[in-house]
Structure formats: C-alpha cells, structure tokens
Amino acid sequence: MNGQEQRQREIIRAVALKAQNQPMLASGLWFHHDIRDNFYYASYLFAAAVDNEMQSLLVNPADEKKKAENVLRIVLELQQQNPEQPLYGHFPLNLNPAPELANPHELPVELMGSLMVYFYQRYKEQMVADLSKKFERTLVHIYRGGFFRKPVQMFNHHEAKYTAAKIIFGQRFEDQELLDDGIASLKRTMERVTSQGMPEYGALPWFWHWVQAFTSAWELTGEPVLQRQLADMLDYLWRERALFYLKGAWVGAHSRGWPHDAPADRNVLHDYAQFGDFPLGDYMPRTEYAGFLCYPAPQDARETALEREQPAEVRKQIIKIDTGEEIPLHSYTYVRKDYAAGGILERVQEFDNEQIRWMVSFPVTADNSVNQLYFFHPGEGWREGDPRHQSEYAEVLYEKNRILAVFPIPADASQQEVIGILPKGLWFMEEAGLVGQVQNCFVSIVIKGRYEIVEHEHCDEVRLQGDPAALAVEVWGLDEATALGIESLSAFTERFRKASLTVEPSISGRSGFIYKGIGN
C-alpha cells in the first residue's frame, strides 16, 4: 500500500467515525441541509464497516453497516422515479422541513449519479439484496432521466460532469450513441481547456467535481484507448492543480468559492490524498469521495507541487466565454516554499460575484486557521462575515512577492470601506501601515488611508478608507529575509519604517504607483 492509499484510508476512517457519532434525525438521515452529505457519510461508514482492518474502530460494525444501508435506502427512495413528472431521475437537494416533502432538484444527480455507479460497482457484493436492487433501479432511472444529455458550450464544471456521465452511463447501458457523445465531448473539452484555459479558474469546490467525475469514468471504463483519453484529462487537471498548490492552499485568484474556501483553505481532502504534505485537520466541510477516488498525479505534477525550494512564477491567459463574449484574463502567481502571492489583473463579473481577485497564501495548518491575506472593496452579494463578493473598484499590480492595489471608490458608493483579512500572527501598527509575522514569513503592508483593526477569533480584519485607499503588500520568507541581512521581526520593522507608497493618476486615467519597499 502506497502513501496515497494510506491517506485515503485515513480519510475513510475519519469520516466513518464522524458518521458513527453523528446523531440521527427522526427521518433516519443525518442531515436535512443537503441530501448529498447523507450519501457521502453513508458511503464512508459502509466502507469502514465492511473493511476487516477498520471494523475494530467502530462500536458495532454490523449495526453501523445497517445504519449506512438504511441511509442509502432513504436517499435512493427520494429519487423522482415517475417518468411523467418533472426532473425525472433527479433527487431533492435541501430536505427541510421533511425529506418526503422535498422537490427534486437538478444539482444532486450531477455529482452523485456518477459516484453512485462507482460505489455500487465497488461494494455491490457486500450489500444486502434489497439495497442492491434499489441501486440497480436508481441507476436505470438516472440513465432514462438523462440529465447529462446536453451539449458542451461553456466548458464549466456542470458540463464536465455531463461529459463523464455520458461515458459512464453510455458504457453501463451499452448505449453507443451516448458513449460516442461522451467521447466527443471529452475531446472538445480537452482541446478547449488546454488551448484557452479553464474558465472557472481557482473555483472550489467545482474543480474537484471535474476530478471526481473524470476519475469515476477512468475507474469504471474497461476500454484501454478511452481510459488513456480520460487519463490525459486527469493529467491535465492535476498539472493545473499543481501550479497553484502550496501545502494544501489554492494560491492565486479564485473565480468562485464557498465561504469555507475564504479566508481559509478548508476544501483540502483531495489535496491531502494526493500530496499529503500538510496536516489534516478535524474540520471537513466537503467530504465527498476523496477517500475513494484518487487518480495518481503524473510525476512532473507531483514535483511541481511538492518541490518548492526554487521560486516559480505562474503566468496564465484565460478566455472567459460565459459572459456572451470572449474576454481574455491574465493571471500571475509567485510561489515559494512558505508563501504565494498574486491574482488576476482584470476584473470581470463572475457567477454570484464570488471572485477573490488576489491574495497572499500561506500553508494550511492543522487547526484549519485562516491562511489567506487579501483586501477588497465589497460589491454585489457581500454581507458582514462573508469576505468574498468584490466590487469593480480596484486596480492591481503584481510583481513576485509584492502586490500593489488602489481602490478608486466613487463618492456615491454605498460602501466606502475597504476590508482587509489578516491571518493570525504577530501584527504591529506603524506609521506607514502594518508589519508582522505569519508562520515562517515577514509581511509588510504599506497603507495609504485611514484604517482600524477589528479582532476576530480566527483572523484580524482591517477597515480602510482613503481618497483613494491604496496599499502595497510585501511578503518575505524568513530565509529570504536573512539573505537581506534581516534576521528578526524587529529588524524587519526597522526596514519597514523607511517604506512609502504614492498613488498618482496616469495619462490613461488609471492610477500610477510609486512604491519604496523592503527590498529596495
């Protein structure tokens, strides 16, 4: 058993124990907020209960197996199995106030459908007969419902799952036309992302939906040529992940993300299974199938992700097409062994305006504490406590370990404050701004404007105003600082006191920066 397999078993054990100890609701399920979490927890508990080595961790393996089977039964029975009804073959999503009253929703089957085929194929011999029959019937209804019978247009995570499902269900039900459509869709998707980039850059958890869907198809196909094509897609995905990987963190700009993705990287299970170079905390907001599915990343991707002794600059052009026109975006990320800095140059409206345009990232820690540092002006969708949803009022410049940003906020904007997120560390307020140490790094933030700091349990928040507000973030690993003759935070602070930032309008009307920083 290799390290990857051992880490997957660690994930299975951890989630199975959570499932064992999670109180059951009167409905016989663990959760009503999302049907998928019931399916995932039941899958892990079942897997542990039938594993000879893991059974000893459970209080009563036979009872836990029955519990998992009962949850799986309920989940399967909630499928819309009447072909005359809307969303035939689908499942409800939110089960409140009662599962039997919940209406079918288009999302759950996108991911669960392919994973159900994988789980059933892997564990059908250990299922009781009636559950096995329910799985068979459920998969028939998914196939007949045909959620995946859609063309590839936007090359997003939905279509990635449709493509994988076409292949999986086309093979399972010997539907050659559907299988051919899946193979053609796979080819088109591969050509598009390798030539023009993934439109959903840094999007979590949706990137992992690509990985899970295509890994399921790769595991389930027995046709060597098709498996090689799927492996090519997975090689691409893991090489893309490796470029923006730093010890569990997803560095650089994010086009989308859930609250647990910002300001802390917590959607880390797939990274942990693949790379394992950071501690796995107890908080697991997206268990999904990281314990079951893990295509081994190509060696060059592993080397990129794990060997960070030499700095790397990652430059990408991404063509956005979901806005109705092709919009070229340019990203830049600078990655070292203790931090990464960068983001995307242009601002573009993203789905639900969940974009985080730039950040400084630090490695993930065992306590899942905040590991991202960034500033933004709140835009559409923003609310207190949700540090996403940025406005268009920001101009940025990236150069290696430096990020310069100015926020030309109109006087009539309802929100005049810029918000900054600081990971916990040693922070000091100086005349020029903020200076501190986070993990193995010194950080300086030269600030133009008036600001205050609000302390929270997991991070500190900066509230900044100016006309315009502006800042220059500079981060140095301790070994880099030592090479500059800076061997302590106090010495770094002395250097910081000489830093300055000037913002001036340029001929183009955009802001110009004059920055004197630590490395000058």
Side-chain angles (χ1 to χ4, degrees):
M1 184 183 300
N2 61 34
Q4 174 185 300
E5 293 167 337
Q6 290 175 340
R7 291 189 294 273
Q8 286 186 276
R9 290 178 64 79
E10 183 182 343
I11 292 170
I12 292 174
R13 287 193 296 269
V15 182
L17 290 174
K18 285 181 178 291
Q20 175 184 253
N21 298 326
Q22 178 74 25
M24 304 296 293
L25 301 174
S27 63
L29 298 172
W30 288 294
F31 311 103
H32 281 182
H33 62 267
D34 192 324
I35 191 175
R36 293 171 295 186
D37 286 335
N38 294 287
F39 174 64
Y40 302 144
Y41 267 49
S43 299
Y44 283 104
L45 185 58
F46 184 97
V50 300
D51 185 286
N52 292 332
E53 295 180 5
M54 294 191 200
Q55 288 174 344
S56 61
L57 299 172
L58 304 177
V59 174
N60 187 317
D63 287 348
E64 297 307 318
K65 180 174 182 285
K66 290 179 182 178
K67 182 194 295 185
E69 289 174 332
N70 189 53
V71 172
L72 290 170
R73 279 191 197 91
I74 296 172
V75 168
L76 299 181
E77 289 167 356
L78 288 172
Q79 183 189 39
Q80 174 56 266
Q81 297 188 347
N82 183 348
E84 302 301 319
Q85 293 296 317
L87 294 177
Y88 167 54
H90 287 260
F91 300 83
L93 179 60
N94 188 304
L95 305 180
N96 283 315
E100 64 271 15
L101 301 177
N103 293 319
H105 192 283
E106 62 184 6
L107 288 181
V109 77
E110 276 190 18
L111 186 57
M112 285 201 310
S114 294
L115 300 184
M116 283 177 172
V117 178
Y118 171 81
F119 183 79
Y120 178 62
Q121 193 69 23
R122 178 166 171 172
Y123 289 107
K124 62 183 178 180
E125 300 301 327
Q126 292 151 300
M127 292 181 185
V128 293
D130 76 300
L131 180 60
S132 179
K133 290 179 181 178
K134 285 184 183 297
F135 262 100
E136 290 279 4
R137 184 165 61 249
T138 296
L139 298 181
V140 168
H141 289 303
I142 292 174
Y143 166 68
R144 291 176 178 169
F147 75 90
F148 38 73
R149 295 181 187 276
K150 297 174 184 176
V152 175
Q153 295 175 313
M154 297 299 174
F155 304 95
N156 58 23
H157 64 285
H158 298 292
E159 294 175 358
K161 288 177 283 186
Y162 303 156
T163 296
K166 290 173 186 177
I167 293 170
I168 291 169
F169 285 90
Q171 288 191 314
R172 181 171 184 82
F173 291 95
E174 299 180 347
D175 185 333
Q176 190 63 46
E177 182 179 357
L178 179 61
L179 177 58
D180 290 343
D181 185 12
I183 294 171
S185 297
L186 175 64
K187 181 180 179 181
R188 286 193 62 212
T189 302
M190 188 70 173
E191 290 172 347
R192 172 59 171 74
V193 297
T194 54
S195 63
Q196 300 188 57
M198 298 185 73
E200 297 171 315
Y201 52 90
L204 297 168
W206 300 278
F207 178 88
W208 296 126
H209 291 182
W210 284 65
V211 171
Q212 290 174 100
F214 287 118
T215 305
S216 297
W218 177 78
E219 289 272 13
L220 292 168
T221 186
E223 205 285 304
V225 174
L226 177 55
Q227 190 173 55
R228 181 62 258 169
Q229 292 172 318
L230 289 162
D232 289 342
M233 172 60 79
L234 289 164
D235 285 346
Y236 167 80
L237 291 173
W238 280 110
R239 287 182 175 118
E240 188 76 6
R241 176 66 192 107
L243 290 173
F244 298 95
Y245 177 83
L246 178 65
K247 298 178 182 177
W250 192 298
V251 305
H254 293 192
S255 64
R256 294 192 64 190
W258 281 112
H260 58 249
D261 300 321
D265 283 284
R266 293 185 176 128
N267 189 355
V268 298
L269 293 186
H270 290 282
D271 283 331
Y272 184 76
Q274 186 71 259
F275 301 121
D277 64 334
F278 62 95
L280 183 63
D282 292 331
Y283 182 51
M284 300 179 183
R286 306 290 297 199
T287 58
E288 296 186 344
Y289 260 37
F292 298 111
L293 294 165
C294 190
Y295 170 87
Q299 184 60 29
D300 61 293
R302 291 186 55 80
E303 291 172 358
T304 297
L306 299 175
E307 298 176 9
R308 290 295 189 187
E309 289 300 320
Q310 298 300 317
E313 294 179 274
V314 183
R315 294 179 172 88
K316 287 273 186 176
Q317 176 174 278
I318 303 153
I319 305 297
K320 291 286 291 182
I321 59 173
D322 56 5
T323 57
E325 59 178 322
E326 292 193 358
I327 300 176
L329 305 176
H330 302 85
S331 73
Y332 172 87
T333 312
Y334 181 69
V335 191
R336 296 193 69 110
K337 67 176 183 177
D338 293 319
Y339 69 88
I344 203 150
L345 284 171
E346 302 85 359
R347 195 266 181 179
V348 65
Q349 183 74 21
E350 299 289 359
F351 183 84
D352 279 350
N353 192 32
E354 292 173 341
Q355 183 186 58
I356 295 178
R357 193 166 166 193
W358 62 263
M359 66 172 60
V360 175
S361 296
F362 303 95
V364 169
T365 58
D367 60 0
N368 293 121
S369 61
V370 166
N371 67 308
Q372 300 168 0
L373 183 157
Y374 58 94
F375 285 69
F376 69 101
H377 177 253
E380 181 183 355
W382 175 82
R383 63 183 186 276
E384 289 283 356
D386 182 0
R388 303 173 298 160
H389 310 290
Q390 307 183 11
S391 80
E392 67 268 34
Y393 305 122
E395 298 172 15
V396 293
L397 181 66
Y398 312 119
E399 183 192 16
K400 295 187 176 180
N401 60 334
R402 296 173 172 178
I403 297 173
L404 281 72
V406 62
F407 302 92
I409 304 166
D412 60 353
S414 60
Q415 172 62 259
Q416 288 293 312
E417 288 185 322
V418 170
I419 297 174
I421 301 296
L422 303 180
K424 287 295 185 179
L426 293 172
W427 289 104
F428 299 97
M429 299 176 70
E430 294 284 328
E431 183 177 351
L434 290 162
V435 64
Q437 181 173 349
V438 177
Q439 296 188 30
N440 292 321
C441 298
F442 295 138
V443 184
S444 72
I445 307 175
V446 179
I447 294 176
K448 183 179 182 296
R450 307 174 305 281
Y451 73 94
E452 63 179 357
I453 295 179
V454 180
E455 293 188 6
H456 297 287
E457 181 181 358
H458 300 295
C459 69
D460 293 334
E461 189 174 87
V462 180
R463 297 287 178 137
L464 169 63
Q465 290 189 359
D467 187 23
L471 54 94
V473 180
E474 197 166 348
V475 56
W476 294 83
L478 298 186
D479 55 346
E480 294 177 88
T482 299
L484 290 177
I486 302 172
E487 298 185 353
S488 66
L489 181 56
S490 60
F492 188 79
T493 302
E494 285 299 318
R495 186 77 69 95
F496 173 73
R497 288 170 179 162
K498 302 174 183 178
S500 64
L501 173 65
T502 303
V503 180
E504 299 177 343
S506 66
I507 295 175
S508 66
R510 300 176 67 86
S511 298
F513 301 91
I514 301 175
Y515 173 57
K516 179 182 179 182
I518 303 297
N520 288 82

